[in-house]
Amino acid sequence: MENFNGREIYSSVENSLDDLLATLKVNLSDNQDIKSLQEKAIENISKNKQDLSDLIKDLEKNSDWNTFTIAFYGETNAGKSTTIEALRILLNEKTKVKQREQYKKQAGAFEDALQEKGRIEKEKAQVTEVFKNKERALQSELVELSKQISDVEGRVYAEKNKLSDLNYKILMKMVSSNKNLLAALFKKLPEQIEYRDLADSLKGNEDGELIAKMDDVEETLQNEKLRNTEQLQQLETELRGIAESIVNLEKKFGQYADGAIIGLKQDFTRDVSSYEFTVNEQNFKLLDLPGIEGKEGLVKAQIEEAVQKAHAVIYMRKAAKKLQEAGGNDDTSELDKIKKHLSQEQEVYLLYNKPIPSPGKLATLKDSLLTPEEREQLEATSDFLRTELEGAYKGYKVVSAYPAFLALANVYASEENEDMRKFYRNKNSFLKKFTEEEMLRESKLQDFANWMTDSKTGLIGDSQRKIKSANIKKVRHAIEGASSSVHAGLTEWDEQTKVIRKHLNHATKDIKKQLDNFKLEVATIKRVVISNFRNETRAEIDTEIESDINNKEFEGILKEISEKNIESLQAEYAARLEQQIVKLSKDIEKCIKKATSSIQTELDFRKSDMDLGGELKTLSISVKKKSYLGETIGLIASLAAIPFAGGVVAIVTAVVGAIVSLGKMAWGLIDHSYRKSKQREARSEYIEKCCTEIDSTFEERNEQLFESLRKQLKKICATLDEKARAFEITKQKYIETEEKLSEIVTNL
């Protein structure tokens, strides 16, 4: 595949997978059991192939073969966006440069508006203060005039009371005497003169002057209030206008401030953002990923897609301590997530973002961001990641992104944006102890940026080779993942095959054992029925001998009884044999059912991906359908029913010989006791010869029966072996698939 360009890799792999599947579908077995399992295995492999094809298509869709892409991945709220925002400023990211130019351009108008707002607010305060001073002075004057008027009014009131008293005295005198009446008419009474003088004194304008003066002061106060209200209204109008102008300017100006991608709340980043850079004539891209904690389900697809695009990953953490080994039942641990996402990567770096929220903490760290304890923890974490991610993990770096961002950022005292106000306050707080250059140096962000952009030894150095290597590794990792899945299927299939073989072998042994038991039972039956024949025949013939029959009668009775008992023997033997055959049939069926049940129980097919239960049910049914047991029963019954004709002829011949030998003993015709004795000897010889012939005949028939049974049971055992062999042969499909996938990986 050396001659393929980047995009051809995906189509080449896809073609190889299609070829693999096509190869698996040829040369299927003619045996239906094997073919059925092969097709099932191919179906399982096809699912793996389809999953792999879908993943290859995703990799092709998300791959970038031109621009080196670095994904910032990791914990929620670990500072990925803060770091990227600071790097955008520091490394002059294209959109950030334009944004900051616009910020600078709009900053003057916004500052002028803020200053004008301050001037108006100051003037408003001054106007209010001047009015309050005048108001206090006029209010004091009114109080003094009010007091004076009150004094005058008190004096007037007293004098008016005196006038009333004088008027009463005058009236009393007028009625007291005519003389006083005449004097009063001519206003000659002393009281009248006093009344006149007092009344004349009350006609002065002291009170009126005070009241007029007080009215003037009140008018002045009202005029001042009116003038103050008009001034404040005018200033308030100006203030509303400038405030509206500031809001409009902030909407226009605020969009150019730094820090918009940074959220001070949990789970701020929900989408993947991409930022392109050109440094030292090298192009690269940074991806800002959502956090892998919190509501990860909402952003899982975005994270996986972004990781597929990346050629290197910066794994950010806000803690130096080692990751947790494994998650609980409900949550996937952080380690599980990074192993899933990052094992496919070409380069993974750990970036510890030290939280430094205040200038005091930065001051205590001096030239190093790490405490000895943190350094030790980072070394342990680094060793752990190196083990877990194997060749993908390359090492760790340390920064404190927040102070670096504040040192570089254009921020302002926003009235609308709480985060921006916090940035502004914190920046001013840091600047009281550090210069911007010192903040940037102490945060180590400049060192990190230098390492990342070094054209020779940095992260983006030799980027074209890294791009090719990273993209190929992702494809290789996807194929290896599919191969692992196929291998898991192979392992599972192999384990199931061993279980099936074990129980079917047990079944085969049990069936053979049943045949051995059957033979022993048949031998026992043969001994029992022959023994019964011997005893019954002897007893019946002895009864006849005791009746003192002659040799001619003895010969006829011997033939009659033996033929009758041989028929009974044959019927009993056939009946007993048939019972044993039925028992054998049931025992064999139990062996097969036991094996089937044991396999199903041990493999627990309800949890298995492969429907082996169905196959084994088919096994049990197919054995019955082939009627091996039924055929065996029929065969045995027919064998058991064969008449022992040849045996009867031989027996009769033996009896005749015995009778002839008896006939030569002429003296025995007279001695009844001697004749009975000889008849008993002949009877015994006859019965034993008969039993021998019967035993020989039965043995011959039994061997035929056993041979037929062996053939039939061999078919049953062959069927069981065929089922196990079907699984073993089918395993080769998995092996072929694994080998082919390994070959594809090697060719990459």
Side-chain angles (χ1 to χ4, degrees):
M1 304 182 80
E2 312 278 347
N3 299 325
F4 293 165
N5 64 35
R7 295 294 172 184
E8 288 176 335
I9 288 176
Y10 306 105
S11 58
S12 176
V13 169
E14 188 64 31
N15 291 337
S16 297
L17 294 176
D18 290 338
D19 291 344
L20 164 61
L21 200 58
T23 301
L24 293 175
K25 292 180 179 179
V26 299
N27 298 325
L28 296 182
S29 174
D30 293 332
N31 182 298
Q32 192 57 43
D33 290 329
I34 298 176
K35 183 178 180 181
S36 175
L37 287 173
Q38 286 177 331
E39 288 172 345
K40 185 176 291 294
I42 292 171
E43 181 182 350
N44 292 333
I45 294 169
S46 295
K47 292 177 182 177
N48 288 321
K49 184 266 179 188
Q50 187 57 51
D51 292 342
L52 177 56
S53 295
D54 293 341
L55 181 54
I56 294 297
K57 289 174 183 175
D58 286 342
L59 289 173
E60 181 178 13
K61 180 183 71 175
N62 296 323
S63 67
D64 191 327
W65 288 84
N66 299 312
T67 304
F68 190 71
T69 302
I70 305 165
F72 276 70
Y73 166 97
E75 298 175 319
T76 300
N77 213 29
K80 299 184 294 296
S81 298
T82 304
T83 305
I84 289 176
E85 184 75 342
L87 289 171
R88 292 176 69 199
I89 300 169
L90 191 62
L91 299 178
N92 297 316
E93 185 255 333
K94 296 173 184 177
T95 59
K96 179 57 71 174
V97 169
K98 293 180 180 179
Q99 174 187 328
R100 287 169 68 83
E101 287 175 352
Q102 286 296 321
Y103 181 93
K104 184 177 180 180
K105 188 175 180 180
Q106 300 292 333
F110 184 76
E111 283 298 323
D112 289 345
L114 288 177
Q115 290 179 7
E116 180 63 14
K117 179 186 177 185
R119 183 194 66 75
I120 295 172
E121 288 176 339
K122 183 177 180 182
E123 185 178 348
K124 182 180 176 182
Q126 289 174 343
V127 168
T128 301
E129 183 63 27
V130 169
F131 169 73
K132 285 182 178 179
N133 291 335
K134 287 182 178 182
E135 185 181 36
R136 282 193 294 270
L138 291 170
Q139 288 289 359
S140 296
E141 188 175 351
L142 285 172
V143 169
E144 181 61 30
L145 287 171
S146 178
K147 182 179 179 183
Q148 291 177 14
I149 290 171
S150 180
D151 290 343
V152 170
E153 287 178 345
R155 182 172 57 81
V156 169
Y157 180 76
E159 289 179 349
K160 284 183 177 180
N161 285 336
K162 190 175 181 180
L163 285 174
S164 180
D165 289 342
L166 288 172
N167 194 47
Y168 180 76
K169 288 179 179 181
I170 293 170
L171 182 61
M172 289 297 100
K173 276 190 173 185
M174 287 176 68
V175 296
S176 65
S177 68
N178 291 329
K179 183 182 176 180
N180 286 337
L181 178 62
L182 289 172
L185 290 172
F186 292 100
K187 301 185 185 296
K188 297 297 185 175
L189 291 174
E191 289 82 2
Q192 286 181 313
I193 296 170
E194 184 181 359
Y195 183 92
R196 185 189 63 212
D197 292 340
L198 184 58
D200 289 341
S201 68
L202 286 175
K203 293 178 181 179
N205 61 357
E206 183 178 355
D207 185 19
E209 289 176 356
L210 289 174
I211 291 174
K213 191 173 182 180
M214 189 173 183
D215 289 342
D216 290 341
V217 173
E218 286 181 343
E219 184 179 356
T220 300
L221 179 58
Q222 291 300 319
N223 290 335
E224 287 297 332
K225 284 184 177 179
L226 182 60
R227 185 162 45 252
N228 177 259
T229 300
E230 289 175 348
Q231 286 180 318
L232 289 179
Q233 286 178 345
Q234 182 178 352
L235 290 173
E236 190 63 36
T237 300
E238 292 180 19
L239 197 59
R240 283 197 300 270
I242 198 66
E244 185 177 339
S245 177
I246 287 173
V247 170
N248 292 333
L249 283 170
E250 183 170 348
K251 287 180 180 178
K252 186 176 180 181
F253 168 66
Q255 63 183 319
Y256 301 119
D258 297 317
I261 69 171
I262 301 172
L264 300 183
K265 298 179 181 178
Q266 193 86 351
D267 286 342
F268 179 79
T269 302
R270 293 293 179 86
D271 298 311
V272 176
S273 299
S274 174
Y275 305 99
E276 297 184 2
F277 298 79
T278 301
V279 178
N280 298 329
E281 299 182 351
Q282 294 190 91
N283 298 325
F284 65 97
K285 185 186 299 181
L286 301 184
L287 302 181
D288 185 8
L289 275 62
I292 60 173
E293 295 175 339
K295 299 178 181 178
E296 192 212 357
L298 300 175
V299 293
K300 181 180 178 182
Q302 293 94 313
I303 292 174
E304 292 180 350
E305 182 177 318
V307 169
Q308 287 179 348
K309 292 180 180 179
H311 305 118
V313 172
I314 304 295
Y315 168 43
M316 288 195 68
R317 299 192 74 223
K318 56 188 174 185
K321 63 182 179 180
K322 193 170 75 171
L323 289 77
Q324 294 297 316
E325 293 279 0
N329 294 330
D330 298 327
D331 297 320
T332 304
S333 72
E334 185 178 358
L335 176 60
D336 294 333
K337 292 173 184 175
I338 68 166
K339 287 174 69 174
K340 175 186 176 184
H341 292 148
L342 305 186
S343 296
Q344 63 181 298
E345 292 303 319
Q346 179 75 4
E347 294 181 89
V348 177
Y349 296 88
L350 171 63
L351 180 59
Y352 170 47
N353 180 29
K354 171 112 177 189
I356 300 182
S358 65
K361 189 170 183 180
L362 183 62
T364 60
L365 295 170
K366 297 182 179 179
D367 294 331
S368 175
L369 286 177
L370 297 178
T371 64
E373 181 183 7
E374 286 174 325
R375 190 175 297 280
E376 183 178 344
Q377 288 178 333
L378 275 177
E379 291 292 343
T381 302
S382 192
D383 290 341
F384 182 70
L385 288 173
R386 188 173 286 107
T387 300
E388 294 296 331
L389 299 180
E390 300 179 344
Y393 181 71
K394 303 300 180 183
Y396 72 88
K397 302 290 179 181
V398 181
V399 298
S400 183
Y402 191 59
F405 164 71
L406 293 178
L408 295 164
N410 288 328
V411 292
Y412 65 100
S414 172
E415 295 189 358
E416 302 294 328
N417 189 322
E418 181 182 350
D419 290 349
M420 188 59 61
R421 283 201 307 277
K422 188 171 183 179
F423 292 149
Y424 183 77
R425 288 196 305 269
N426 289 346
K427 177 165 184 170
N428 288 333
S429 178
F430 272 93
L431 288 176
K432 290 177 181 178
K433 288 192 175 183
F434 300 95
T435 64
E436 292 178 348
E437 290 75 14
E438 289 171 337
M439 291 167 64
L440 189 60
R441 182 181 67 250
E442 296 299 330
S443 70
K444 307 301 180 187
L445 188 76
Q446 183 68 65
D447 295 341
F448 178 75
N450 292 342
W451 163 78
M452 190 171 66
T453 58
D454 189 284
S455 59
K456 294 182 179 179
T457 60
L459 180 58
I460 66 172
D462 197 12
S463 60
Q464 287 304 310
R465 181 192 63 79
K466 288 185 176 183
I467 288 172
K468 179 181 178 182
S469 179
N471 285 339
I472 291 176
K473 183 175 181 181
K474 291 178 193 294
V475 175
R476 183 182 293 116
H477 184 271
I479 298 173
E480 288 172 346
S483 182
S484 296
S485 180
V486 170
H487 183 75
L490 169 61
T491 301
E492 182 181 15
W493 192 278
D494 194 40
E495 290 173 353
Q496 292 169 336
T497 299
K498 290 176 181 176
V499 170
I500 292 165
R501 170 60 75 183
K502 176 182 72 175
H503 289 293
L504 294 187
N505 283 348
H506 286 168
T508 299
K509 290 179 181 178
D510 288 344
I511 289 171
K512 291 179 179 178
K513 185 177 179 180
Q514 294 302 328
L515 178 59
D516 292 338
N517 292 338
F518 177 77
K519 286 181 177 181
L520 293 175
E521 291 294 334
V522 169
T524 300
I525 291 171
K526 183 184 71 172
R527 286 195 301 273
V528 168
V529 296
I530 290 177
S531 176
N532 291 342
F533 168 79
R534 178 185 290 110
N535 295 333
E536 290 174 5
T537 302
R538 179 186 292 116
E540 290 181 18
I541 293 175
D542 283 351
T543 299
E544 295 296 335
I545 290 174
E546 288 301 322
S547 66
D548 198 18
I549 58 175
N550 58 38
N551 288 339
K552 186 66 175 176
E553 292 173 330
F554 173 73
E555 179 182 356
I557 289 171
L558 200 64
K559 180 179 179 182
E560 179 184 348
I561 290 174
S562 63
E563 285 183 345
K564 172 177 73 68
N565 287 349
I566 285 174
E567 288 180 1
S568 297
L569 174 150
Q570 189 166 337
E572 181 183 0
Y573 184 70
R576 290 197 179 196
L577 198 58
E578 187 167 358
Q579 289 177 356
Q580 286 302 315
I581 292 169
V582 171
K583 181 177 180 300
L584 174 63
S585 174
K586 291 180 178 179
D587 289 342
I588 292 172
E589 186 173 359
K590 285 179 183 178
C591 292
I592 296 172
K593 284 184 177 180
K594 179 183 176 182
T596 302
S597 177
S598 297
I599 291 170
Q600 291 174 332
T601 300
E602 187 168 344
L603 295 183
D604 191 0
F605 292 114
R606 288 171 296 179
K607 296 180 181 178
S608 174
D609 292 335
M610 291 174 285
D611 186 19
L612 297 179
E615 290 295 331
L616 291 169
K617 288 174 185 176
T618 303
L619 167 66
S620 176
I621 293 169
S622 67
V623 170
K624 290 184 178 181
K625 283 184 176 178
K626 291 181 180 179
S627 303
Y628 292 151
L629 305 184
E631 291 171 5
T632 304
I633 292 172
L635 174 63
I636 294 173
S638 64
L639 287 171
I642 296 175
F644 290 90
V648 173
V649 172
I651 292 167
V652 171
T653 302
V655 171
V656 171
I659 295 300
V660 170
S661 65
L662 288 173
K664 292 179 179 179
M665 299 177 184
W667 55 273
L669 297 175
I670 301 171
D671 189 343
H672 296 281
S673 297
Y674 179 76
R675 187 178 68 215
K676 289 180 180 179
S677 174
K678 287 300 180 179
Q679 285 178 348
R680 288 190 186 97
E681 288 179 4
R683 174 262 293 157
S684 295
E685 182 180 357
Y686 170 79
I687 289 175
E688 289 308 316
K689 285 186 178 181
C690 187
C691 288
T692 299
E693 288 296 325
I694 292 171
D695 185 275
S696 176
T697 302
F698 275 18
E699 192 64 30
E700 181 182 349
R701 298 296 189 273
N702 288 347
E703 283 303 320
Q704 294 178 25
L705 170 63
F706 295 152
E707 182 60 29
S708 295
L709 270 176
R710 274 193 293 270
K711 290 179 181 179
Q712 299 302 326
L713 295 183
K714 185 177 181 181
K715 291 181 181 180
I716 296 175
C717 294
T719 299
L720 299 180
D721 181 72
E722 188 177 85
K723 285 292 178 182
R725 194 168 60 88
F727 280 90
E728 292 167 345
I729 293 174
T730 303
K731 183 173 71 173
Q732 187 61 32
K733 293 296 180 183
Y734 284 94
I735 295 173
E736 291 174 15
T737 302
E738 194 173 2
E739 290 175 349
K740 182 61 178 178
L741 290 174
S742 178
E743 180 184 337
I744 295 172
V745 169
T746 301
N747 290 337
L748 283 174

